[in-house]
Amino acid sequence: MKLLRILGLIGCLLFVAGCGANTVTRGSAVNTGGGNDTGDGFTGIEDGVIDTESEFAYFSKDYFDYEIGDRVFFALNESALSNEAREILMEQSDWLQRNPDTTITIEGHADERGTREYNLALGARRSEAVRTFLLQQGIGAVRMSTVSYGKERPFAACSDETCWSKNRRVVTQIEETTGS
Amino acid sequence: MRLAFRALLFLAIVSILGGQGWAQSKSDAPLQIEINEGIIQLFPIAAPQFIAESAGTTKQAKDITDLILSNLERTGLFKIVPESSHIGKITNFDSPIQFSDWKAINVDVLLTGTVSQGDDGNVVVKIRLHDVFAESSLGQGVQYRGKVNSWRRLAHKISDVVYSRITGEGGYFDTRIAFISEFGAKTDRTKRLTIMDYDGANVRFLTDGTSLVLAPRFSPEGDELIYTSYRTGKPSVFRLNLRDGRLTRVLETPDMTFAPRFSPDGKNVMFSRTTRGNTDIYETNLATNEAIRITTNRAIDTAPTYSPDGQTIAFESDRSGTTQIYTMNLRGGNVSRISFGDGTYGTPVWSPRGDYIAFTKQVGNIFHVGVMLADGTEERLLSRSFLDEGPTWAPNGRVLLFFREEPGERGGPSLYSVDVTGRNLTKLNTPNFASDPTWSPLR
């Protein structure tokens, strides 16, 4: 997530004009950033203006999804939160506290390596781990609901670890906001 | 070919619209295939095209004969001796059989039949089985009657009789398969509850794809399906009446419910319910809608399946650290782990015969469907691929269906059948990607 964010920011730095015009598809974690369409990233280094401002308003769902990161990842068959996941969830919780009118659905997902039933239960365990963490940070239980999709909604479609690691995730879905 | 001889059992004469039989001399020595792992030689059977006894039934006679032979061939147990090599011709259903003609081409069993259309417009199919070496009839003749457009079911019923008389086991041809049809990209699949005949004919969609649906299971009578739907926003167990289309939620709860199965008497449903991230097994009585909690473990307890006598439950749990199969009594007591091999085990499914439990097994990056006895011994793996999952039993407990998912972005699932012996792995034709099969009882 961090990496994606950094790449996104670099994209903004290099192609400041392009960032504003960039449309971001909901549900995609990857901000491709800028108008460089080589398909595999950036071909050279250009001078840029340092600008740490996000292209998104802080209170927007886009800021939550792409600047903070709407998702955390898990190890195989695990529902324990990694340190990296905790950092992201801390930021999510800050944002949620400053956006008290939002409600969230915490979606648990698993990779395709496991039975349908087990993965539904595993996704539920993961979403509960995130819910419990946010609860501990003071987010009200009434603002949060959980659901598991098991292996039904992979984010990445390939059949190897590069995709499976992206699919073992919990996505914090902002359902309602009056802040933006 | 091993032949076993056994006393003739009572054979019912049945009809789709009402039974009607006719007298036939009784043989006391039917021949029989024994289905076991040792069979490698196919059982030779011949069926000359059934005689069209009334005008306009020639095409039906051919279609019905062909479908019966296709059914028998698909079992992997029979060798069809083609009509081109027949010496004898059957022109009259009631004339004595020239057994020497059939012996000469090494046919063990001869099936003869007629097709006619009655005054009421119904099609009547009559058959007789003949034991060529004993030169006698194999059981009584049988006839079935049905509407013209139900000719496929007539052929399936006849196939069940033939299979049953020769193997001594119940058939599985006049059955249906419910499953999930899958459409669209792997990251955004649309799933529709679907039903078809066992042979892939008469595909019908039961849901429109608006909600994600998973893992249907037939009721013991075959008139209902129970499955998981996201129509409430969360996985919830629903019950669909196939006669009137009525849909009922099994348990009203904000919790997630999934992995349902009917009890053998159809009165209860056992399923998983997740409360605060913890998945346990519950049972609901369908008359009272009261849910009783069966497991209280902090682990994932799911995929419950009843033994055919309804007294024991097999389920999967990761309470030992990895997912394994356990058995317990109806109140969650007397828990015993039964899977001990390499890897992880899931989705136990009790055979309708009560002998085996089928399961999904993962070892490293390979998945298998397999069977083991209810005490966990005699494990046998029947398949192997990138992802094999979700076995379901034919009503006679001799054949399993499961789904196999091909890897990759464009990969998707298909249905496969395999004998409990591990022989005859066959892909079923479905119009779209297909997963989560459930096999109906005999109709």
Side-chain angles (χ1 to χ4, degrees):
Chain A
M1 205 62 249
K2 270 257 158 69
L3 182 63
L4 294 175
R5 212 156 84 208
I6 291 162
L7 283 176
L9 286 172
I10 291 170
C12 286
L13 296 182
L14 295 178
F15 302 96
V16 177
C19 276
N22 184 37
T23 52
V24 178
T25 315
R26 188 173 173 230
S28 163
V30 183
N31 176 4
T32 52
N36 189 324
D37 279 333
T38 57
D40 54 2
F42 307 101
T43 50
I45 302 293
E46 293 175 28
D47 288 332
V49 179
I50 300 298
D51 177 4
T52 53
E53 286 295 306
S54 168
E55 57 188 304
F56 303 121
Y58 180 76
F59 292 110
S60 69
K61 175 172 160 43
D62 281 342
Y63 187 93
F64 184 90
D65 289 353
Y66 305 112
E67 295 299 332
I68 295 172
D70 64 351
R71 61 197 63 195
V72 294
F73 300 99
F74 294 83
L76 182 68
N77 290 333
E78 279 295 334
S79 57
L81 298 171
S82 66
N83 288 337
E84 193 186 358
R86 284 165 188 275
E87 279 175 35
I88 292 168
L89 292 174
M90 287 296 287
E91 288 185 55
Q92 286 191 0
S93 122
D94 283 349
W95 188 92
L96 289 166
Q97 261 151 354
R98 292 172 203 208
N99 288 267
D101 296 326
T102 53
T103 60
I104 56 172
T105 299
I106 303 165
E107 295 177 356
H109 298 268
D111 66 29
E112 64 187 340
R113 311 310 285 158
T115 64
R116 210 176 288 302
E117 294 82 1
Y118 179 76
N119 280 330
L120 279 175
L122 181 60
R125 238 186 210 168
R126 287 173 176 164
S127 62
E128 180 61 19
V130 167
R131 196 192 75 94
T132 304
F133 185 91
L134 294 176
L135 200 62
Q136 286 162 355
Q137 305 310 309
I139 307 302
V142 290
R143 295 174 64 190
M144 301 189 281
S145 66
T146 56
V147 64
S148 173
Y149 284 95
K151 59 175 170 176
E152 305 308 314
R153 286 284 178 265
F155 172 75
C158 74
S159 289
D160 57 50
E161 181 56 25
T162 57
C163 287
W164 297 334
S165 62
K166 295 188 182 83
N167 292 336
R168 296 189 297 262
R169 69 202 193 277
V170 166
V171 179
T172 306
Q173 196 71 251
I174 305 294
E175 297 295 347
E176 194 182 291
T177 174
T178 53
S180 60
Chain B
M1 173 59 55
R2 275 191 63 199
L3 298 179
F5 292 84
R6 215 192 261 178
L8 180 68
L9 298 173
F10 169 75
L11 288 160
I13 295 168
V14 274
S15 152
I16 291 170
L17 291 179
Q20 212 176 50
W22 73 97
Q24 169 78 29
S25 67
K26 187 175 152 185
S27 162
D28 54 8
L31 80 178
Q32 200 164 61
I33 302 181
E34 267 184 16
I35 303 174
N36 59 38
E37 285 174 86
I39 289 193
I40 41 165
Q41 207 177 342
L42 302 180
F43 190 92
I45 184 168
Q49 186 175 316
F50 290 2
I51 300 159
E53 281 196 331
S54 47
T57 54
T58 310
K59 181 169 189 309
Q60 276 158 6
K62 181 178 189 323
D63 289 345
I64 288 170
T65 316
D66 287 350
L67 185 50
I68 292 168
L69 290 177
S70 147
N71 281 341
L72 296 175
E73 192 159 35
R74 282 178 56 170
T75 64
L77 298 174
F78 297 92
K79 173 179 175 252
I80 310 301
V81 179
E83 196 137 15
S84 56
S85 61
H86 294 182
I87 301 165
K89 299 290 173 216
I90 305 293
T91 51
N92 185 327
F93 184 63
D94 293 315
S95 296
I97 303 291
Q98 292 297 318
F99 285 107
S100 56
D101 290 347
W102 303 100
K103 264 182 209 165
I105 57 169
N106 295 316
V107 166
D108 279 0
V109 164
L110 172 69
L111 169 66
T112 59
T114 70
V115 176
S116 60
Q117 198 155 7
D119 294 338
D120 55 3
N122 285 322
V123 173
V124 180
V125 185
K126 290 184 195 175
I127 60 119
R128 260 186 212 126
L129 275 170
H130 311 272
D131 180 339
V132 171
F133 284 85
E135 300 198 354
S136 65
S137 290
L138 187 51
Q140 292 190 316
V142 171
Q143 80 173 36
Y144 282 100
R145 287 197 302 163
K147 293 195 168 67
V148 176
N149 61 10
S150 65
W151 68 269
R152 295 188 72 91
R153 282 202 65 196
L154 290 169
H156 290 325
K157 284 273 186 210
I158 301 284
S159 305
D160 282 324
V161 171
V162 173
Y163 178 94
S164 164
R165 288 205 183 164
I166 295 175
T167 65
E169 316 252 336
Y172 54 84
F173 305 108
D174 190 25
T175 55
R176 294 190 288 179
I177 294 162
F179 61 100
I180 301 295
S181 292
E182 302 195 10
F183 307 85
K186 190 169 174 180
T187 50
D188 190 23
R189 281 275 156 83
T190 296
K191 296 194 171 195
R192 297 178 71 182
L193 185 59
T194 314
I195 194 166
M196 67 183 184
D197 294 350
Y198 114 96
D199 60 354
N202 297 319
V203 176
R204 231 169 14 107
F205 295 110
L206 301 175
T207 64
D208 63 8
T210 308
S211 309
L212 195 54
V213 287
L214 308 172
R217 311 292 181 211
F218 270 106
S219 65
E221 295 294 317
D223 57 346
E224 285 189 298
L225 286 172
I226 196 160
Y227 62 97
T228 303
S229 168
Y230 278 71
R231 61 187 290 138
T232 62
K234 285 190 178 193
S236 312
V237 175
F238 283 87
R239 201 175 145 203
L240 176 67
N241 186 311
L242 291 170
R243 296 188 203 284
D244 58 18
R246 203 159 45 92
L247 188 66
T248 347
R249 197 169 168 194
V250 167
L251 181 69
E252 292 293 338
T253 169
D255 293 339
M256 196 172 115
T257 55
F258 61 103
R261 269 187 210 281
F262 281 100
S263 62
D265 63 8
K267 290 179 180 162
N268 299 291
V269 170
M270 213 172 261
F271 56 92
S272 276
R273 174 180 183 173
T274 304
T275 310
R276 294 275 167 265
N278 180 33
T279 300
D280 275 311
I281 292 169
Y282 286 69
E283 187 182 51
T284 289
N285 180 301
L286 293 172
T288 63
N289 282 324
E290 277 173 32
I292 300 169
R293 187 171 178 176
I294 309 294
T295 64
T296 53
N297 206 282
R298 288 171 58 86
I300 289 172
D301 296 328
T302 187
T305 175
Y306 292 84
S307 61
D309 67 4
Q311 295 307 302
T312 309
I313 304 300
F315 64 102
E316 71 175 73
S317 174
D318 68 353
R319 59 185 66 185
S320 73
T322 62
T323 313
Q324 301 293 336
I325 298 175
Y326 295 77
T327 56
M328 63 181 174
N329 66 29
L330 286 176
R331 290 296 157 256
N334 202 13
V335 176
S336 137
R337 177 172 163 181
I338 64 167
S339 64
F340 287 97
D342 292 342
T344 61
Y345 293 76
T347 56
V349 195
W350 225 301
S351 161
R353 298 162 64 95
D355 50 359
Y356 287 111
I357 292 174
F359 54 81
T360 303
K361 176 173 179 168
Q362 182 182 2
V363 188
N365 268 330
I366 297 293
F367 279 69
H368 306 269
V369 162
V371 293
M372 58 171 68
L373 294 179
D375 63 2
T377 61
E378 293 189 29
E379 175 177 323
R380 186 159 71 225
L381 299 180
L382 309 179
S383 78
R384 171 193 171 83
S385 88
F386 165 74
L387 181 47
D388 286 350
E389 189 183 339
T392 180
W393 291 94
N396 69 357
R398 288 302 189 184
V399 184
L400 291 131
L401 278 173
F402 61 95
F403 70 96
R404 170 170 291 179
E405 184 124 13
E406 301 293 339
E409 295 188 22
R410 294 181 179 281
S414 305
L415 306 186
Y416 283 78
S417 67
V418 67
D419 289 3
V420 70
T421 57
R423 294 178 59 244
N424 204 27
L425 180 73
T426 311
K427 185 175 174 179
L428 273 70
N429 285 324
T430 50
N432 309 95
F433 284 143
S435 60
D436 296 5
T438 175
W439 207 324
S440 83
L442 275 174
R443 291 209 266 180

